[in-house]
Structure formats: C-alpha cells, structure tokens
Amino acid sequence: MDNFLILERLDRLEKLLIANKEVLTFEETCDYTGMSRSYLYKLTAAGNIPHSKPNGKLIFFEREKIVSWLLQNERKPIQEIEVIAEPVR
C-alpha cells in the first residue's frame, strides 16, 4: 500500500476519533473546525467563542458548544422562507 494512502487513512481515523470526544484541546478544535491556529486564538482572546481555561493556560472546548456556535447564524433557503411567509391579501 502506498504511504500516501496510509497517511490519508490515518488522518481520517484521527478525525473520527476527535468527532467522538466531548472535550477538545486547542489543536483538536482547529482540526475539527478547519480554522487556523491564529484565527481560533483571536476568537478565544476576544471571548467570541465558548471555551474554558481551567488553570489559566490550556484552552479547552466543549464539542457541542462549538457545533452550536458554528451554526448560530443559520440562513434559510428562499423556498423555506416563502412557505413561512404566506402572501398577505
């Protein structure tokens, strides 16, 4: 088996393991969300993303809160909006 295929499979396995964890480290959150380290650090420093710092240094994230935060400004498709907003006569 090619080394590239092995590394690709390992990467997929790591992502699956991360998806099943309840509490994520800073690095795991970067991998889980696809955010860069610098952008995630800016979000935590500004207090714009839910996180915990139990001892004042290490940063941890609750996976469910991260998912909720990522999906917080949902945009509905036009078809769904049209069904909800019945025409006024």
Side-chain angles (χ1 to χ4, degrees):
M1 194 181 248
D2 184 40
N3 282 347
F4 179 75
L5 291 174
I6 293 172
L7 291 174
E8 193 174 281
R9 285 186 175 183
L10 279 174
D11 189 46
R12 273 193 244 139
L13 285 172
E14 285 177 344
K15 288 179 181 178
L16 285 172
L17 289 173
I18 289 171
N20 289 325
K21 287 182 70 177
E22 191 173 327
V23 177
L24 304 175
T25 64
F26 187 85
E27 293 296 327
E28 290 169 340
T29 304
C30 288
D31 292 339
Y32 185 74
T33 62
M35 292 180 194
S36 68
R37 291 175 48 92
S38 61
Y39 183 61
L40 185 58
Y41 181 75
K42 286 178 187 177
L43 290 172
T44 58
N48 292 332
I49 190 168
H51 65 282
S52 298
K53 290 175 96 174
N55 292 323
K57 281 193 173 188
L58 297 177
I59 301 172
F60 295 97
F61 301 85
E62 189 176 337
R63 188 177 47 82
E64 287 183 20
K65 288 182 181 180
I66 294 301
V67 170
S68 294
W69 182 83
L70 288 169
L71 300 175
Q72 69 185 341
N73 290 324
E74 179 184 10
R75 303 291 190 249
K76 297 191 183 297
I78 293 173
Q79 295 87 353
E80 193 174 323
I81 293 171
E82 289 172 348
V83 169
I84 294 170
E86 296 176 16
V88 179
R89 295 178 194 228

